[in-house]
Amino acid sequence: MERKKGTSPLRSDAERNRRRILEVALAELTRAVDTPLSVIAKKAGVGQGTFYRNFPSREALVLEIYRFEMQQLVDSAAELLEAREPDRALREWMDRFARFAMAKAGLADAIRQATSGPDQPAKPGYAAVTDAAELLLRAGEEAGTIRPGVTSDDLLLAIAGLWQIDPRGDWQPRVARLLDFVMDGLRVGAPGR
C-alpha cells in the first residue's frame, strides 16, 4: 500500500486493520452510499478511534477505497505476467479491471459526493491503469500472442462497454462474454497464432 511522503510505514496489525476497513467499506458503500461510518467500523472489527485515525472523514474513506482498488488493479499487471503467459495475464487482468469497474460504478454516488464540493480533492487519475494495460499489451505483442500496434487507449476504449452494465445485476456472464470477444479480437493477426 502506498503511503504519503513523510509518513512511516504502518505496523502489520495497523495495515491489516486499514485493509479490513477498506474491504468492508467497499462492500457496504457499494450497497448503500449512506451507510454510517460506525457500521463500517463495527463490521471491520475496529474501534471508532482506529477508524477515524485512518479515515478522518467519509470523503477520505471513499477516495482511499478508490485509490486502493485502483492500485490493486495496477499492481496485479506485473504479478500476473510473472505467473501466466502474456495473453492469459492480459485476459485475467481484464477480469480484474471489470471488477474494479463494477465496484466503481457501485460507488459512483459516494465518489461524486466526495469530489463534488468546492474544497474537495479531485478524483485520482487513470495514468497508472493505462500504464498497466500497456505493460500487458507489450508483453503479449513480444510473445506473439497479441496483434501488434494495439495501444492501451485502444484496449480501454474496446472494453468501455463495461460502464454500461448494471453492477447490481448478474453482470459476470455478460462481462465474460464481452471480454472474451475483445480478447479474440486482440489475438487476430498475432504472429504466434
Side-chain angles (χ1 to χ4, degrees):
M1 159 101 18
E2 192 174 298
R3 300 287 297 160
K4 290 184 176 149
K5 290 182 181 179
T7 62
S8 57
L10 293 176
R11 296 182 334 252
S12 62
D13 60 329
E15 182 62 31
R16 275 192 305 275
N17 286 341
R18 183 176 174 80
R19 287 180 77 94
R20 181 73 184 134
I21 292 168
L22 290 170
E23 290 165 358
V24 169
L26 173 62
E28 294 301 315
L29 293 173
T30 298
R31 221 179 334 272
V33 68
D34 57 352
T35 299
L37 299 181
S38 59
V39 169
I40 294 170
K42 185 175 182 175
K43 286 187 175 188
V46 299
Q48 296 289 327
T50 298
F51 183 90
Y52 284 105
R53 202 170 23 260
N54 282 284
F55 306 104
S57 67
R58 178 176 295 275
E59 293 78 19
L61 174 63
V62 168
L63 289 175
E64 187 57 25
I65 291 168
Y66 186 77
R67 281 187 205 93
F68 177 75
E69 289 294 304
M70 186 182 295
Q71 193 60 52
Q72 298 288 94
L73 176 66
V74 167
D75 292 345
S76 72
E79 293 164 5
L80 288 166
L81 279 173
E82 288 177 13
R84 312 225 182 326
E85 293 299 317
D87 60 332
R88 293 305 323 148
L90 175 59
R91 181 60 182 83
E92 190 169 327
W93 185 82
M94 289 166 49
D95 284 335
R96 292 177 186 204
F97 184 90
R99 284 191 299 275
F100 169 74
M102 294 302 109
K104 183 180 179 295
L107 277 176
D109 289 338
I111 293 168
R112 201 172 5 270
Q113 286 176 9
T115 59
S116 64
D119 295 326
Q120 300 299 344
K123 207 168 40 170
Y126 286 101
V129 173
T130 302
D131 292 345
E134 194 68 33
L135 173 71
L136 289 157
L137 288 167
R138 295 299 64 87
E141 188 176 317
E142 246 179 63
T145 57
I146 301 296
R147 69 186 317 153
V150 178
T151 68
S152 56
D153 288 339
D154 296 335
L155 174 64
L156 296 176
L157 185 58
I159 61 177
L162 292 171
W163 307 115
Q164 302 303 313
I165 297 172
D166 185 352
R168 294 166 298 195
D170 186 23
W171 57 267
Q172 291 90 343
R174 193 165 187 199
V175 164
R177 282 192 311 273
L178 171 69
L179 297 180
D180 286 343
F181 178 71
V182 170
M183 199 66 210
D184 289 346
L186 290 170
R187 290 181 174 126
V188 172
R193 289 278 163 190

